[in-house]
Amino acid sequence: MRNIRAGIVATLTAVALTACSTVGGSASPSAVPDGSGGGGGQKVAFVSQVEGVPYFSAFKQGAAETARSLGMSYTQAGPATADATEQVRIFNSLVQQGYAAIAVSPLDPRSMNPAIAAARQKGIVVITSDADAPDSQRQLFAQQATDDALGATVMDQIAKTMGGKGKYGIVSGAADTQTFNSWVAQARKRQESAYPGMQLVGGVRYTTDTAQALKEAQDLMTANPDLKGLIAVPSTAVPGVAQAVQNAGKAGQIAVSGFGSPKTARTYVESGAMTSTVLWDVPQLGILTVWAMKQLLDGKQIAAESTVPGLKQPVKYDAGHKTLVLGPPMVFTKSNIAQFDY
C-alpha cells in the first residue's frame, strides 16, 4: 500500500481499482493536480503505481496535507493501469518539469533504476516509498513496515485459524515484483520456524489480475480438497481469492488473509470469506514520505529515531540500508475494518 506495495501493491487494475493504490486517474502529471497541495515553495511529487484507486488516494490525503503544512507544492501522478513503461515516462516528465524532489513506488525496479540515476545526476532528491528499488540510487526507502513483520503477521493470521497445521496456498502478484516476493519469503520463513505442522501446496501461484487470482485459488482448492488456508499477497489478488472461497461455499472453512486495503477486503471480511487483511496506515505513509523528502531537501541527517508531526509514533531509520520504517503492520478484522476508508 508496498508497500504498500506498496504495497502493499503492482498490478492494480479492473476490479482492483479498489486496491493497494491511488487517486486522480490521470496518466499525465500536471503541476498541481486536483486535491494536491498547491501554493508556493519547493515542488515535490509522488509517482504511484496506479492512479484512481483508494489506496493511493489515501496516500495522497496524508502527503498533500503535509506538503501544505511544510510550505511545499505537492503533485501525485501515476499510470492509469499497472504499466511500468508509462510509470517511467511520468517520472521523467516530472524530472523535466524541474521538481525538487520525487518519490516513486516502482512497479519494476529494473526499468526505474536508470531514470532514478538520471534524476540524481541533475541534483533532484529521489526516494522510494511503498515499494523499493534497492539497487537504484534512491536516497532512502520510506517503508510501510519491515518485510519480515508483514510476512510474519499474515502467516500468524491464517495459522491462528488453522490451528497451526494443515495445507495452505499462496497467490501472489507478478513474479518479478521484489516487494511481493519478499513478503512471501518472510511468510514462508515464519511458517517453517513457528508452524512446522503447516504445508505449502502448489508452490507460489503468480497472477497479474483479480480474475487470474480467482482461478488460481479455485485450482488450489480443487487440487487440495483439504486445503485449510490461503494467503493473497497483493491487493489485486485479495478479491479474487476471497471470491473463490465464497463461490466454493467454504467461507469460514478456509482461513484467508492477505495484503489488501480495508476497502478492498471489507465485504469479504464481513461476510466471513476472509479472516483478516494486513496492511498499514496509508495516509500516514504519505505523511512520512513528504516529511522525508523535506529532510533531504533541507540537507538534514535523519536520526535513528524521529518524531514526525502527524504520526502516531516515532519512526526508525536504518542508515545502513537507508530505510525509514513507519511502524508495525496493522491487522484489519470484523471488529475494526469499517473504520477505514481506503
Side-chain angles (χ1 to χ4, degrees), residues 122-297:
K122 293 185 177 182
I124 297 171
V125 166
V126 181
I127 70 172
T128 53
S129 177
D130 181 66
D132 196 16
D135 298 325
S136 72
Q137 292 184 32
R138 56 86 166 148
Q139 290 165 271
L140 63 78
F141 172 33
Q143 187 175 16
Q144 51 273 62
T146 62
D147 290 346
D148 58 344
L150 286 162
T153 300
V154 79
M155 181 55 67
D156 288 345
Q157 286 299 302
I158 67 163
K160 180 170 60 177
T161 304
M162 292 174 59
K165 57 185 179 181
K167 296 178 180 178
Y168 74 98
I170 298 177
V171 179
S172 188
D176 60 354
T177 303
Q178 181 170 340
T179 299
F180 300 160
N181 292 340
S182 295
W183 294 347
V184 168
Q186 292 300 326
R188 295 182 68 179
K189 181 179 178 182
R190 175 68 170 175
Q191 178 262 301
E192 291 166 1
S193 63
Y195 310 107
M198 291 174 60
Q199 176 191 359
L200 175 65
V201 294
V204 178
R205 302 295 183 97
Y206 297 102
T207 65
T208 58
D209 56 36
T210 299
Q212 188 177 356
L214 186 149
K215 183 181 182 302
E216 293 294 348
Q218 288 175 331
D219 290 348
L220 282 167
M221 288 187 289
T222 299
N224 303 276
D226 55 346
L227 192 73
K228 294 181 63 179
L230 282 166
I231 293 174
V233 176
S235 266
T236 41
V238 165
V241 171
Q243 189 65 54
V245 171
Q246 193 160 287
N247 291 350
K250 294 189 174 182
Q253 299 175 40
I254 296 178
V256 180
S257 191
F259 300 103
S261 68
K263 199 165 186 177
T264 303
R266 180 176 174 179
T267 297
Y268 301 105
V269 170
E270 292 182 341
S271 74
M274 285 191 73
T275 309
S276 62
T277 187
V278 177
L279 210 64
W280 43 88
D281 191 315
V282 179
Q284 293 215 341
L285 183 60
I287 292 172
L288 180 63
T289 299
V290 171
W291 178 86
M293 286 192 283
K294 177 63 172 173
Q295 303 311 297
L296 294 176
L297 284 170

